[in-house]
């Protein structure tokens, strides 16, 4: 399903999921317009990871500053501690209020301006830490919104929101990274990295990532900082 001369806006956080998502957009024949939001997140090292990934996979990369610490409300945007005791039921404190809605809205704005009609987001509904904005219903609702909210949509140019990792486990995603020939070591997933950028190994993101590589039977390329 190649799309000659078609671009897609891909949300690129710097994590493994967004890296695989960008590579899948390329494989599908899209030019990649990568959008990274610098929301003053606690794990700022992920912005460097996003730059490394974009250098490999993107045709254009925008890092957009949007300081969500002004709102707070999350362990990633305030000084609330990141939980290290294991993945628990319910919506964790690392949930950032309305994050994917905010980010997809920014991606939609760039897509319409750039003439792109496809958005890619690496959300995942299986191993997804309980975030409501990673669910299939959310993606479908945002796609509907995109087509009602825009000049392009009202003129019959439909937007499509692609979530190719939606039904994948973290093991599936690790395998997909290997199949695509990606260097997973340049991605960053940890919510609470050490000063040297090493992963903590204990937060939900680290646990899910490590479990993914283990279940896929692949070596874990993550650099951990052992306390």
């Amino acid at each position: 399903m190649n799309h000659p001369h078609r671009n897609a806006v891909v949300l690129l956080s710097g994590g493994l999921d967004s890296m695989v998502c960008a590579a899948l957009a390329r494989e599908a024949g899209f030019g990649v317009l990568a959008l990274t939001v610098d929301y003053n997140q606690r794990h700022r090292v992920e912005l460097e990871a996003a730059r490394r990934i974009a250098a490999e996979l993107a045709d254009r990369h925008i890092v957009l500053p949007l300081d969500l610490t002004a709102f707070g409300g999350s362990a990633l945007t305030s000084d609330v501690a990141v939980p290290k005791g294991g993945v628990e039921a319910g919506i964790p404190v690392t949930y950032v209020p309305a994050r994917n809605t905010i980010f997809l809205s920014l991606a939609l704005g760039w897509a319409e301006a750039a003439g792109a009609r496809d958005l890619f987001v690496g959300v995942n509904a299986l191993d997804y830490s309980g975030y409501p904005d990673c669910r299939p219903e959310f993606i479908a609702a945002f796609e509907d919104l995109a087509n009602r909210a825009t000049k392009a949509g009202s003129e019959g140019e439909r937007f499509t929101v692609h979530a190719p990792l939606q039904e994948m486990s973290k093991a599936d995603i690790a395998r997909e990274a290997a199949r695509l020939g990606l260097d997973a070591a340049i991605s960053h997933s940890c919510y609470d990295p050490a000063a040297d950028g090493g992963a903590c190994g204990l937060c939900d993101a680290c646990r899910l990532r490590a479990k993914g590589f283990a279940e896929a039977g692949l070596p874990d390329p993550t650099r951990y900082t052992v306390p």
Side-chain angles (χ1 to χ4, degrees), residues 178-195:
R179 182 188 71 79
L180 291 158
L182 301 175
D183 177 8
I186 70 172
S187 66
H188 175 89
S189 303
C190 178
Y191 289 146
D192 194 19

Side-chain angles (χ1 to χ4, degrees), residues 166-203:
Q166 189 83 74
E167 303 303 331
M168 290 188 194
S169 67
K170 276 284 192 268
D172 294 331
I173 294 165
R175 278 191 284 266
E176 200 63 347
R179 182 188 71 79
L180 291 158
L182 301 175
D183 177 8
I186 70 172
S187 66
H188 175 89
S189 303
C190 178
Y191 289 146
D192 194 19
D196 68 358
C200 75
L202 294 172
C203 70

Side-chain angles (χ1 to χ4, degrees), residues 37-109:
V37 183
D38 175 359
Y39 58 102
N40 214 355
Q41 55 268 55
R42 175 190 292 257
H43 50 316
R44 296 187 62 72
V45 61
E46 88 170 356
L47 297 171
E48 290 310 313
R51 288 190 181 94
R52 291 193 297 267
I53 294 165
E56 300 279 325
L57 297 174
D59 298 285
R60 256 197 91 194
H61 185 211
I62 289 178
V63 179
L64 195 69
L66 181 72
D67 187 357
L68 293 182
T69 59
F71 294 167
S74 167
L76 303 188
T77 55
S78 70
D79 51 13
V80 171
V82 171
K84 301 289 177 71
V87 182
E88 293 180 3
I91 298 171
V93 295
T94 50
Y95 165 75
V96 177
R99 179 174 66 181
N100 286 345
T101 309
I102 294 166
F103 289 5
L104 277 167
S105 299
L106 298 169
L108 177 63

Side-chain angles (χ1 to χ4, degrees), residues 22-39:
L24 288 171
R26 280 200 83 88
E27 187 177 55
F30 289 100
V32 172
L33 306 179
L35 178 61
T36 301
V37 183
D38 175 359
Y39 58 102

